[in-house]
Amino acid sequence: MSLALDAAAQDLLFREAQTANTFTDEPVTDEQVQAVYDLVKFGPTAFNQSPLRITLVRSQEARERLVGHAMGANGPKTLGAPLTAILSVDLDFHEKLPQLFPHAPGIKDTFFSEAARRGVAGTQNATLQAGYFIVGIRAAGLAAGPMTGFDFTGVDKEFFGDGKQKSFLIINIGKPGADAFSPRSPRLTFDEAVATV
């Protein structure tokens, strides 16, 4: 069975796309990032809660603050990228539910009055949105370098001192540079990954 996307789009988004480790110095503009966001914001989340928040790290000063919390090679990678995004979950996402889920405004209190429940739901759905964001970056003709090798507690203190956001992923963004990609690792086959019950 064929997919609705043509082969070139499939390659751009998945088959030929890989995590980039180096980038050129070509800038990533605010307009490009807004175009990505304006596309991926339509990806579904539970109750349309949309808990992902994206902090763009552009200035050298902010980049150095971020790199202070990087592990190993993630620091140099981040310093060499034209743009870095800190992805975090808004732990008070429920405050926007009357706006985002207007046909059932009561769910703000019915389902999400407890902080622990919000934390679990918000993290699940922000992580889902992170996947959309990576695919959106690829759709813009850019490469993404997502990383979890950071001290996220330190990142949160550095950038979100009020404790209302919890970071979970750092993504370098730009045009791939020299030797940007490692050889592609194997993937599971359909039969290994998919079961029918």
Side-chain angles (χ1 to χ4, degrees), residues 42 176-177:
F42 293 109

Side-chain angles (χ1 to χ4, degrees), residues 3 11 52 62 74 78 103 145 169 178:
L3 300 175
D11 289 344
L52 179 68
N74 289 340
T78 300
H103 53 284
L169 188 65

